[in-house]
Amino acid sequence: MVHKFDTLGVKCALDVCSGTVHILDDISYRMLDFFDEEGNFDQMGAKEAGLDDEKSMEAVEELIALKEKNQLFTKDIYRALVSHKEKKSVIKALCLHIAHDCNLRCRYCFAHGGEYMGKREIMSPEVGKKAIDFVIKESGARRNIEIDYFGGEPLMNFETVKEITEYAKAEGEKHGKNFRFTITTNGILLDDKKMEYINENMGNIVLSIDGRKEVHDKVRVRVDGSGSYDSIVNKFIKVARSRNQENYYVRGTFTRDNLDFAEDVMHLADLGFEQISVEPVVAQESEDYALRKEDLPRIFEEYDRLAEKILEARKNGKWFNFFHYMIDLHESPCAYKMLSGCGAGHEYAAVTPSGDIYPCHQFVNDPKYKMGDVFEGVVDKDIRDVFVKSNIYTKEPCGDCWARFYCSGGCAANAISMNKDINKPYLLACEMEKKRVECAIAIKAREALDEE
Amino acid sequence: MCYNTENTIFGVFRFKEDIVMKHVKTLNEANLALSVENGGCGECQTSCQSACKTSCTVANQKCEKKGKRGR
């Protein structure tokens, strides 16, 4: 399968199954239309269209040469890897819900004020340690184990975070495991002491900020309704600097209220942040801030605008990274990874403050998806199977989608919450993902052309 | 009507190895198929652990064997 697109003024062809990207001129872009899925050239069709002149034929020859080099019209040979994935998959990453409580009441929060439709509670060190024992046992031969301290707001229970971290490091050493920690925070309770501990021990920190003050403060509010921007922004700047602008993300959410979200990304860049992620909100259409199908043209335009702004900033010597435009065209994740996606329910699981296990943070407190608990230390095989057996070949629209290896079939939680079926992806998210991949590739293409 | 590209274009057999690319510039030498042999170690980060939490993007994850997969 070949996907051709004209984005940011560059014509590109992506050979979907090899990952090769070609920059095309006008004539080769046009001639690509006369090839079928297998790469057979429709000679008569081209002739009838009056495209049998020398230049057109040169372009055709080049496209055929690429096919022969396995860089165009390659076949999808990855279906057989699915069974490998199913057999070898082990839980190697946990999202620990350190606190089902929060000091903010963000309007779009899927945890509904941190409580996840349940009660306010915090994780005890004992539950956290049991979770560490569980993942050490479950992870089999895998050496690297990821722990994400999440909430609610994990800094509301930071002593437990520290106790679990120290326990994991000690147990990891005993069992030959390398624990890697991430913490996600809204920053309200962040202080120098916590920052120091986090910098010494955690490979990643995710700092929640939506962008411009007026955008952030409209959504990310305290219990009394007041905005939180002023309380966190300088602390986040300090965190970023203290980590040498690496191994962190400022992470925001855009909604229908700020479809000009490129301004929010640029605001964060202007504050000096170099690692930026701003993602579309996921919400039912009954919410006034939810994104809708009719917003897509505006969102696509904004992604283009953002890409142009990034290119311009980089040209002027100001480099920053936008999470969803990160793409390594030379050494992408392997095919196995491209099939397994986020691994929710079979490589990744969430643990609640009381020790219950769910496929991921977005399923927490939905009784249908409770997989077990850290005390028993076993996971429900039937629920695991639902997740491990779902892949790009079981999801109907994905088999024919050119972007399938980049999103791996999308977010399982979104598919279930929007369409009640893990194999029916949330199509609004698919459209945005496809646009982002095109922009990410087009940025690489433009940068390559500029270097010449 | 379609013709297999291994045959001819407008009746002329072409030797593709000699082609100088004038219309196409290839940006990368990636070949996902090669990763079937050397990939699958499972040591990489789970995508939701990076900065995501509400979507799924795998393409921007780092390979733990970067530079060692023989591509």
Side-chain angles (χ1 to χ4, degrees), chain B:
Chain B
M1 184 189 295
C2 290
Y3 288 82
N4 191 296
T5 50
E6 284 166 15
N7 297 326
T8 61
I9 315 168
F10 294 112
V12 181
F13 189 87
R14 311 274 182 156
F15 292 94
K16 309 301 173 304
E17 292 78 8
D18 301 323
I19 283 177
V20 177
M21 293 289 187
K22 288 194 267 182
H23 301 277
V24 182
K25 178 184 162 55
T26 299
L27 202 51
N28 60 345
E29 296 289 325
N31 195 339
L32 190 58
L34 292 179
S35 75
V36 172
E37 207 174 310
N38 299 315
C41 70
E43 295 289 357
C44 52
Q45 190 183 34
T46 314
S47 56
C48 238
Q49 305 286 73
S50 44
C52 179
K53 289 287 189 250
T54 55
S55 66
C56 183
T57 304
V58 173
N60 57 14
Q61 301 299 303
K62 279 184 197 155
C63 174
E64 293 288 327
K65 289 182 172 176
K66 196 166 179 171
K68 297 177 194 166
R69 281 213 316 250
R71 292 214 234 155

Side-chain angles (χ1 to χ4, degrees), chain A residues 144-162:
Chain A
N144 293 326
I145 297 179
E146 317 276 340
I147 299 293
D148 186 7
Y149 296 115
F150 200 60
E153 172 50 43
L155 295 193
M156 292 177 86
N157 188 17
F158 196 62
E159 287 308 309
T160 297
V161 168
K162 284 172 24 187

Side-chain angles (χ1 to χ4, degrees), chain A residues 8-166:
Chain A
L8 308 181
V10 197
K11 294 180 173 64
C12 295
L14 165 69
D15 183 52
V16 172
C17 298
S18 69
T20 316
V21 175
H22 309 282
I23 303 172
L24 308 180
D25 66 2
D26 290 345
I27 191 66
S28 53
Y29 191 76
R30 176 77 180 95
M31 296 316 289
L32 203 50
D33 292 337
F34 296 97
F35 287 81
D36 68 11
E37 278 284 301
E38 305 288 314
N40 299 309
F41 175 55
D42 178 4
Q43 178 176 315
M44 294 313 290
K47 194 170 184 179
E48 277 164 22
L51 292 168
D52 56 350
D53 57 286
E54 196 180 332
K55 274 206 161 166
S56 301
M57 287 311 103
E58 266 177 13
V60 169
E61 272 187 41
E62 290 178 26
L63 295 171
I64 292 170
L66 292 172
K67 181 191 171 189
E68 291 177 356
K69 283 171 75 181
N70 290 321
Q71 292 184 334
L72 211 53
F73 305 110
T74 56
K75 291 189 170 57
D76 188 333
I77 54 163
Y78 310 108
R79 194 178 282 267
L81 304 186
V82 168
S83 61
H84 172 279
K85 173 199 140 194
E86 288 174 12
K87 280 184 214 146
K88 300 270 179 179
S89 183
V90 292
I91 292 179
K92 56 165 190 166
L94 290 182
C95 180
L96 296 187
H97 289 229
I98 291 299
H100 273 188
D101 197 357
C102 191
N103 37 24
L104 292 184
R105 294 291 180 273
C106 306
R107 288 174 67 210
Y108 48 52
C109 181
F110 60 78
H112 301 94
E115 296 167 58
Y116 288 84
M117 313 287 265
K119 58 181 180 188
R120 295 198 178 275
E121 56 181 336
I122 59 169
M123 182 178 280
S124 67
E126 289 66 40
V127 167
K129 288 174 187 174
K130 282 280 179 197
I132 297 301
D133 295 340
F134 166 76
V135 76
I136 287 174
K137 180 171 75 83
E138 286 292 310
S139 57
R142 301 291 161 84
R143 182 173 139 69
N144 293 326
I145 297 179
E146 317 276 340
I147 299 293
D148 186 7
Y149 296 115
F150 200 60
E153 172 50 43
L155 295 193
M156 292 177 86
N157 188 17
F158 196 62
E159 287 308 309
T160 297
V161 168
K162 284 172 24 187
E163 205 170 328
I164 298 169
T165 304
E166 296 307 319

